[in-house]
Each structure stands twice: as structure tokens, then as C-alpha cells.
Amino acid sequence: MSAATPALNVEDTTKSEPSHAEPIVDLDLLGVGTHYKRGRLYSEDFSVLDQGRDESAVVGTQLANTHLEMLCQLNIFTPTHVVRNTGIICTIGPSCQDVDTLEKLIRSGMCIARLNFSHGSHEYHAESIANIRKAAARVPEKCVAIALDTKGPEIRTGLLKGGGSAEIELYIGNVLDLSIDEKHMSSGDEHCIYVDYKNIVDTLNVGDVVYIDDGLISTKVVEKNTTYLRTVIQNGGLLGSRKGVNLPGKVVNLPAISEKDKGDFKFGCEQGVDMIFASFVRKLADVEEMRKELGEKGKDILIISKIENEEGMRNFDEILRASDGIMVARGDLGIEIPVEKVFLAQKMMVSRCNRAGKPVIVATQMLESMVYKPRPTRAEASDVANAVLDGADCVMLSGETAKGKYPVEVVNLMHKVCLEAEAAMFHRVVFEEIRRLTPKPTNTATTAAIAAVDASFQQNAAAIITLTTTGRTAFILAKYRPRCPIIAVTRDPRTARICHLHRSIHPLIYTEPLDVNDWTNDIERRFAAGIAKGRRDGYIHKGSTIVVLSGWKPGPTNTNTIRICQVEY
């Protein structure tokens, strides 16, 4: 057989018991005794799998004939999964900006740190970035991506008297003026607040409704003037500084990238952020304009488009094609479209992203009550679980970690909910549906990835290990939703960080130099490092089956080799 088409190395499977020949490799990496050999187990024989938990209960649900049967077999007494495959994104703010708390968030499950540029100065965010990297250095076995969330073409109120932490109480029936006069920019009170959209007076008419702070406060226009709108409060409450303003049903004439956004893009490039969460993306041209603005220095920064209004929903498919991923930003979306339609929008966007193989984040008010309380409502916990069941790659925390009283506790709780929800997914059916929707013929990498995921189901594998340069192979694997973790071994730290956007991928930065003279040995050492990670994290044990996906020669686009291996001891 030619070098371009290496043979698939497996043991003879005609025997009822796996062979106990000498292992191919016997390496002790990172202080973990890791010994394995190439081999294959019968998919029916689960007795050799020592996963440290009742594996038969999990396997039983996955072998159900129908989705209804699988749901009937769910059991609240089944032990929790060891490893979480859904990513957790945390917004960094005053409650968690210090290094010690950030370290606790990372250890609790934070994969991506989000910086909200609607608030704070560049100096503040630079300090946050430095602290995130210091905290990550304390947890070398994990890596953390950094996301810059833009202000975008949004409308916000100004500051209140007393500064950024001040609040005012607004009562139903009282009059509130919405002013575009900059003299009110930093002196808002219960009678008048500043709004930063200069065309608001021309855009709205008497009788129109204005929503403030994710719709928690609503006012109705009763009078127009050249510099303000006089409104009557229909729904009151506490209002802080710089809150979002929504004008449902109105076309807002704002540029896709403001001057502030341009400055933030430059800052992000200088600071080496990994991705941008682009607010209020409305059409394809918005994404293209951002790509152009990022330029050569920001060519590797991913653009995750936030869908937050009706126009973005109408143009979703073209936005998805141009973006590296999507965020279902339910706060503003739930004001711009009827609230009873939000769940439909979420399911549609998540499903289309799953079909396209692009990461999707579900965000906003997931565990909102934990801003002030140590436990969430039952509905909030179910909301997180349903986002996972819908197919979200990541779930996001906003005020819960940025300003909440319990930032570490809320991450721990989200981690637990995600574990339980993942166990309730009918992974095999999801895999079959996505495979069926994949256009034919497939390229080599996709063909190999589909075969690897299929093998992981057939063998009840503990993990899929892939050796990747750009992350592309791992991303394709993640598209087909294996039940087991995907360990992505890479030498590129940036590739490792962006892997967190995709469900099931657990990145490992391999620091040993490439041995160009012995490619086979280099593959084996990286493979062993992946097994060592799985053993440390608690989901690879003696007798575990591992599916390995790699290339036959160095460099990207060469993935074509699958091996099925058994961890010997």
C-alpha cells in the first residue's frame, strides 16, 4: 500500500476476548503512567469498560429504538457524567475581575471570558485581560479564550446622578423625558434621562412604546419636542446607568460599526483577543464590514454574530454563512420580536448552526436570579438544560458573574445542569440526522470524521483523540455530536483556545517540538499525551476504548487515518 494510504491498524476481532499482547507504546507523560495498544473491542461487550460510573445506564438510553423510549429510560438516580462537553462563557465584571476569583471560575468550568465593551474603559478591560491570563497561568492544564463583546449599533441611556453604580426608582404613571441633549448625559434622574440615539425624536411618534433595560421598563410617548420625547411610564422599576433601549418595529439608522467599535477593534487586536461577539448584526454587509475593519492584524479573530432584532432574523442564513458562529442574544431579541416567539427563534438558529457545523451560543438571563440569590429558579435551571438539549455549543452568563453576589456558585451550578442535560440527549439520533443532511460526496476529512464518530458509538468509546494544527479536524468531529469527549491535541495555543466554542472539544496544548524526522513517533507521543489528559480528567481508564483520528503526514488537510485502541493499564 502506498504511503498516501496507510493501513488501518486494528487487532483481530474474531476472538471473544481482546488480545493481551505487548502494548505498542509504553510512555509515562506528565507524571501519569499511560500504556495503550492498538486494538478493537466488540460494541456489545461493555464489561471491560471501567468508566468509574454505571456505564450500562448511559449505554441503555443510547440503544433505545425511539426518542420517546430513550426519554422513558432516563433516571434521576443515574450517576452524573464525569466530563462536561458544553462550553461555559462568563462575563467579567467587578464581582469577578480579581485574579483569585477568576482562577476559581476557570477551575469551576469557565472556558471563555467575555468582556462587555458597552461598559468600562480600555484601561479597565486591559486590566481584566491581564488578570485572566494570570489566572489561566495558575491552571496550566486548562486554557481560556477571551472574547470582546462590542457595543454595536445599539441605543443606550446615559449616566445617572451618582455615577455608574447609581439607581433610580421609576413608578407607573409618572412622566419621564428621554432627552438627546448632551447636558443630561451624566445627570439622569427620575424625571429626565439621556438617550444616545440622535434620531429617536424623528423615529418615534406619539403612542409608540420605548423599552429600557431588556424590556423591564416600558414607557409610552405622549409628546414630542426637538430635543426630547415626553413619555409616561407604563412599567416601572429600578433603573441603572447605561441601559439598553429598544424601539420595536422601528428601523434604526445606525452604522454597523461605530467609531467606538473601531477603537475597540484596534484595542482587541493589540491585546490578542480570540474572538469578537458582534452586537446587533443585521445583514451580511455588517459582517463583511467588520472583517475589513479588523484587517490583517485581526485576520485570525473570529466573528460571532449576535442576532438581536427582527432584521437579523430575516437575514439569518446570509449572516450565518459569513460568520464564524452565532449568538442567540435573547435579551434584546425578546423585545424586538414577540416574547412568545423567542423559543422558536432559538430552536431555529441553533438547529441551522448545527446543520452548518458552526458554533452557537445561547445567552441572556439564563440564571438571572443568582445575581442576588444563591439558588436559581427551577425554570432557569430548565432553561439552561433546554439550551443544551436544543444543541447549543456554549451557554453564557452575563450579570450573574459580572455583578452578581455568587459568581463561582453560578458557574458550578451551570456546570452541573449541563452535565445532566448532556446525559439526556439522544446523541446517536442527532448524529444520524446530521450525517443524513451532509451533502455528498464528502471530502476526505469529513469522511474520516464521520467514520470516527460512528466508531465511537459502535465501540462506546471513552474519547476521540484528534491531532490537529488549525482545529479544522476537531471542528468537523464536533459537528457530528459524539457522546464522548473529543481531545484535540495541538501545538498552537490559539487553536486550543478557539476549540472551546465547539461542543465536546477538550483542547490540549502539546509543547514538545515537532520531530520532522520521525513523524510516526511524534504521532504516538501526542496520542499518549491525549490519553494522559483523559486519565487526569477522569474519563479514560484501564480497558477504555479510544478512537484516534490523525493525518498520514505533517500539516493541515492531511487527516485520513482512523485507529481504534484499547488502554491496557
Side-chain angles (χ1 to χ4, degrees), residues 57-79:
V58 178
V59 172
T61 60
Q62 296 302 313
L63 293 179
N65 291 317
T66 67
H67 189 217
L68 178 60
E69 182 185 351
M70 187 277 295
L71 293 175
C72 290
Q73 292 181 18
L74 294 178
N75 187 341
I76 65 169
F77 302 107
T78 300

Side-chain angles (χ1 to χ4, degrees), residues 200-382:
I200 191 170
V201 174
D202 297 326
T203 302
L204 296 182
N205 299 308
V206 172
D208 287 337
V209 177
V210 179
Y211 290 101
I212 305 172
D213 193 10
D214 286 340
L216 297 176
I217 293 170
S218 61
T219 70
K220 186 174 183 178
V221 179
V222 295
E223 182 184 331
K224 292 178 61 170
N225 202 303
T226 55
T227 60
Y228 68 87
L229 294 170
R230 179 148 293 168
T231 69
V232 173
I233 299 169
Q234 292 187 315
N235 190 50
L238 286 174
L239 176 66
S241 296
R242 300 197 56 76
K243 296 301 181 181
V245 176
N246 294 88
L247 314 177
K250 301 294 181 181
V251 176
V252 177
N253 184 22
L254 288 171
I257 308 176
S258 66
E259 289 302 316
K260 173 176 167 42
D261 291 335
K262 292 178 181 179
D264 293 341
F265 280 13
K266 181 180 178 182
F267 173 83
C269 292
E270 293 169 351
Q271 291 288 327
V273 302
D274 299 294
M275 60 198 74
I276 285 175
F277 294 166
S279 297
F280 293 96
V281 175
R282 295 164 289 180
K283 53 188 179 298
L284 169 65
D286 295 349
V287 183
E288 293 175 338
E289 189 177 345
M290 291 175 201
R291 295 265 188 220
K292 183 178 180 181
E293 185 64 32
L294 286 169
E296 183 66 21
K297 287 186 177 180
K299 65 180 181 180
D300 293 328
I301 296 176
L302 304 184
I303 295 178
I304 309 300
S305 295
K306 297 169 65 176
I307 306 301
E308 306 185 69
N309 53 33
E310 185 176 323
E311 188 177 359
M313 289 294 302
R314 292 186 184 279
N315 298 321
F316 180 77
D317 287 337
E318 67 177 39
I319 293 171
L320 175 60
R321 285 194 297 271
S323 304
D324 296 301
I326 295 293
M327 181 188 292
V328 183
R330 303 177 302 176
D332 287 283
L333 185 63
I335 302 167
E336 297 285 339
I337 68 173
V339 69
E340 65 271 18
K341 300 283 190 182
V342 173
F343 86 98
L344 291 174
Q346 174 175 315
K347 288 180 180 293
M348 179 276 286
M349 287 189 276
V350 170
S351 298
R352 292 190 188 183
C353 288
N354 288 171
R355 184 178 62 186
K358 292 193 175 182
V360 57
I361 303 162
V362 174
T364 315
Q365 296 179 330
M366 302 215 78
L367 296 170
E368 183 76 8
S369 64
M370 287 190 74
V371 172
Y372 301 109
K373 297 179 181 179
R375 286 172 60 84
T377 67
R378 312 315 182 255
E380 287 171 339
S382 295

Side-chain angles (χ1 to χ4, degrees), residues 91 114-120 149-160 178-180 184-185 193-198 200 210-214 239-247 252 254 260-261 279-280 306 308 331-332 398 403:
T91 303
R114 168 186 177 247
L115 304 175
N116 187 355
F117 276 64
S118 292
H119 309 278
D149 197 317
T150 66
K151 181 178 183 296
E154 63 179 354
I155 306 171
R156 283 192 176 263
T157 62
L159 287 170
L160 302 176
L178 306 180
S179 175
I180 58 175
H184 298 293
M185 187 181 294
I193 58 173
Y194 175 76
V195 177
D196 63 5
Y197 181 42
K198 296 298 183 182
I200 191 170
V210 179
Y211 290 101
I212 305 172
D213 193 10
D214 286 340
L239 176 66
S241 296
R242 300 197 56 76
K243 296 301 181 181
V245 176
N246 294 88
L247 314 177
V252 177
L254 288 171
K260 173 176 167 42
D261 291 335
S279 297
F280 293 96
K306 297 169 65 176
E308 306 185 69
D332 287 283
S398 299
K403 64 178 183 179

